Amino acid sequence: MSLSDHPKAYGTAALTVAFVAGIFVTLGFKDLYPELENRYQQRLNRNRNARRRNSTNTSSRRDSFLFGGPVSLEDRESSFTTIDRGLGIVDGIAGTIGNTPLVKIRSLSEATGCIILAKAEFLNGAGNSPKDRVALNMIEVAEQKGLLVPNRGDTIYEGTVGSTGISLAVLARAKGYKCHICMPSDMAIEKVELLHHLGATVERVTPAPITDPKHFVNLARQRAKEHTLSSETESRGFFADQFESLANYTAHMKTTGPEIYEQTGGLIDAFVAGAGTGGTISGVTKYLKEEKKLTNLKVVLADPQGSGLYNKIRHGVMYSSTEKEGTRRRAQVDTMVEGIGINRITENFESARSLIDDAVRVTDLQALRMARWLVEHDGIFIGSSSAVNCVAAVMTALKMPKGSQVVTILCDSGSRHLSKFWKSVGELGLEHNEEEKGGEREEDLIEVLGLERPGQSEK
């Protein structure tokens, strides 16, 4: 009796032959292409942790195999030293930094007729702010220079209003360092508590002008120097110096700028951001304008009330034409906004100042109203500097042609601003629900922010 008389038996035999043939082809594949072994070994020796984005080359490798192109083997064996980003695994907390989403804010886009996109930097996985990128880059540069050595007892010192300190505290622990933060005493208390829980030493400092040796930045510099000069320990103190260290803006030039360009396909009409150290606006601007040659891109500084940077961009001086820059002893910027706004020019800001086209000033009330608006209309809960950026993005969009694409930054979550910024939102009565307001709900964003509609003459 032949196999043809039994179709099922015939099919089973055919499958068995095909399976055995496949095994022989696979086993013989390496002999047919001896160079594969060398390529395989070379791939094992590569440092996959240097890859900043997930690879999507699986399908192209498959096509190469089918159509006779170059073939490479990929190691899928997990270990403590070899991490494959293609599997969604990252090496430590530092691996969670970057590649944050770009979010279309629908209510702002509808109100302005432009597409307003926000880089959600509060979703960075270490300290939940764009300062994660900066802190990581500053530490890595210091390690390359031998200024920091893991597990030697070295301490990272920094003067910060919060976010940079939090990012440094997280990464310091992960990389084998201690962290000492000097912070103005009028910052939101939840930032202080978070730093304590992260294992950092927090030194709260009475607000003072930068010319004062007891200014929080100057004090951090002094503490690092004292640590290094101490004869009681072989460890060193490292002053991160986020305001002047060029590792700040280069972090954004290497990562944030390229991500924004890729996510938008290079279709960006305006970029809007505030400045504290100036690292974010400078790094992104330099990448987009200098490296990608987006010469028509409009870069706008978002500045809170009390800051001098608005006047510097608009009029060339920090305060007025009768005051010489750098001679006034000014205290903290007169605003409840934390993280942006400053009364001096940092090295980071200066690196791209000539590339900034315009500046807008945002009041505290506008920032408070924007923060509440975004919760009610988009479910986005942000902090003070993010609110300033969003107001400035709206102000910029209103002056641009319909359909223009405007990108800004969501720096921080509202959870770090409960005791100060969001407390003020509540005190102003902005959190009443629809029933408390008699069922009425304010829908006119332009009126809510007190802005002029397109076509209206400037006041």
Side-chain angles (χ1 to χ4, degrees):
M1 183 179 294
S2 66
L3 286 175
S4 60
D5 295 330
H6 296 276
K8 291 184 179 180
Y10 180 82
T12 301
L15 288 175
T16 302
V17 170
F19 178 75
V20 172
I23 293 175
F24 281 108
V25 168
T26 301
L27 292 175
F29 193 78
K30 182 177 172 183
D31 294 330
L32 291 174
Y33 295 92
E35 72 273 12
L36 287 178
E37 180 64 21
N38 290 331
R39 295 184 184 180
Y40 177 71
Q41 293 300 329
Q42 290 171 2
R43 187 171 184 82
L44 281 179
N45 293 329
R46 291 175 185 167
N47 182 5
R48 291 198 190 95
N49 296 329
R51 290 184 298 171
R52 303 298 297 176
R53 296 178 176 84
N54 290 339
S55 172
T56 57
N57 293 331
T58 303
S59 61
S60 64
R61 287 195 300 269
R62 187 183 300 115
D63 293 340
S64 296
F65 173 79
L66 292 174
F67 296 101
V71 180
S72 61
L73 297 180
E74 183 173 352
D75 174 54
R76 291 291 180 176
E77 183 179 350
S78 62
S79 70
F80 290 107
T81 58
T82 303
I83 303 297
D84 192 333
R85 293 293 296 269
L87 292 175
I89 301 172
V90 298
D91 190 7
I93 195 66
T96 66
I97 298 173
N99 296 316
T100 54
L102 192 63
V103 180
K104 178 182 178 181
I105 304 182
R106 287 181 293 179
S107 71
L108 305 189
S109 300
E110 292 169 0
T112 61
C114 293
I115 301 171
I116 296 184
L117 306 173
K119 185 75 165 152
E121 286 293 276
F122 66 90
L123 296 179
N124 274 303
N128 309 125
S129 81
K131 299 300 184 180
D132 282 355
R133 303 174 188 264
V134 174
L136 180 61
N137 198 42
M138 289 192 299
I139 291 173
E140 289 180 342
V141 169
E143 289 174 334
Q144 292 166 9
K145 294 180 178 179
L147 301 176
L148 283 173
V149 177
N151 303 312
R152 185 176 63 181
D154 292 356
T155 299
I156 300 171
Y157 293 82
E158 183 61 301
T160 170
V161 297
S163 292
T164 304
I166 292 168
S167 297
L168 284 171
V170 172
L171 293 170
R173 285 294 179 179
K175 286 180 166 290
Y177 306 111
K178 299 177 182 178
C179 190
H180 184 117
I181 300 299
C182 295
M183 175 186 291
S185 58
D186 59 350
M187 294 296 103
I189 189 63
E190 49 265 35
K191 295 182 181 180
V192 179
E193 293 176 351
L194 179 55
L195 283 165
H196 279 306
H197 288 305
L198 290 172
T201 298
V202 181
E203 187 172 355
R204 304 189 73 185
V205 182
T206 302
I210 189 62
T211 52
D212 192 324
K214 293 184 179 180
H215 182 274
F216 65 98
V217 172
N218 297 332
L219 192 60
R221 181 187 292 107
Q222 181 61 29
R223 293 286 186 260
K225 182 178 179 181
E226 292 170 353
H227 182 147
T228 300
L229 294 177
S230 174
S231 59
E232 298 179 0
T233 178
E234 294 182 357
S235 63
R236 299 185 62 174
F238 169 69
F239 175 49
D241 198 14
Q242 60 167 326
F243 288 90
E244 309 302 333
S245 171
L246 299 186
N248 183 340
Y249 91 79
T250 55
H252 294 291
M253 194 171 181
K254 292 188 299 184
T255 62
T256 319
E259 288 174 24
I260 290 174
Y261 184 85
E262 181 178 337
Q263 289 167 323
T264 60
L267 301 177
I268 316 170
D269 297 296
F271 175 65
V272 181
T277 64
T280 302
I281 192 169
S282 293
V284 173
T285 297
K286 285 177 73 67
Y287 178 80
L288 295 177
K289 282 197 171 185
E290 293 183 343
E291 293 200 14
K292 305 310 293 186
K293 309 300 181 184
L294 299 184
T295 55
N296 294 325
L297 174 69
K298 184 176 183 180
V299 177
V300 180
L301 169 73
D303 213 30
Q305 65 184 53
S307 172
L309 297 180
Y310 169 86
N311 281 333
K312 188 65 178 178
I313 295 299
R314 278 291 190 93
H315 309 297
V317 294
M318 290 294 283
Y319 311 115
S320 74
S321 59
T322 60
E323 296 174 304
K324 184 178 180 181
E325 188 173 309
T327 60
R328 286 190 62 175
R329 291 174 60 87
R330 294 177 66 92
Q332 283 291 105
V333 172
D334 186 20
T335 177
M336 69 175 60
V337 174
E338 298 178 4
I340 59 174
I342 195 172
N343 281 320
R344 69 181 189 277
I345 299 295
T346 67
E347 288 292 329
N348 283 281
F349 187 78
E350 185 63 26
S351 67
R353 181 165 63 90
S354 62
L355 301 176
I356 300 175
D357 302 290
D358 199 4
V360 295
R361 176 168 284 160
V362 178
T363 67
D364 284 354
L365 181 59
Q366 287 174 322
L368 292 165
R369 289 184 178 277
M370 173 59 77
R372 187 58 201 166
W373 173 278
L374 289 175
V375 168
E376 290 184 352
H377 294 83
D378 300 275
I380 298 175
F381 184 53
I382 55 173
S384 57
S385 57
S386 298
V388 169
N389 284 346
C390 288
V391 174
V394 168
M395 296 169 73
T396 300
L398 291 175
K399 297 179 180 180
M400 302 189 71
K402 297 295 184 181
S404 297
Q405 195 147 273
V406 180
V407 177
T408 191
I409 304 290
L410 296 182
C411 317
D412 48 1
S413 166
S415 60
R416 292 182 184 172
H417 298 264
L418 298 176
S419 64
K420 187 177 176 182
F421 182 76
W422 275 95
K423 181 180 179 182
S424 296
V425 173
E427 290 173 346
L428 286 174
L430 300 177
E431 294 184 310
H432 294 313
N433 58 37
E434 294 180 40
E435 293 180 358
E436 292 173 327
K437 292 188 288 186
E440 297 180 0
R441 181 174 180 178
E442 180 60 72
E443 295 289 348
D444 191 340
L445 173 65
I446 310 305
E447 184 177 334
V448 166
L449 298 177
L451 301 177
E452 296 176 350
R453 300 180 186 280
Q456 289 183 326
S457 60
E458 293 186 3
K459 296 180 180 178

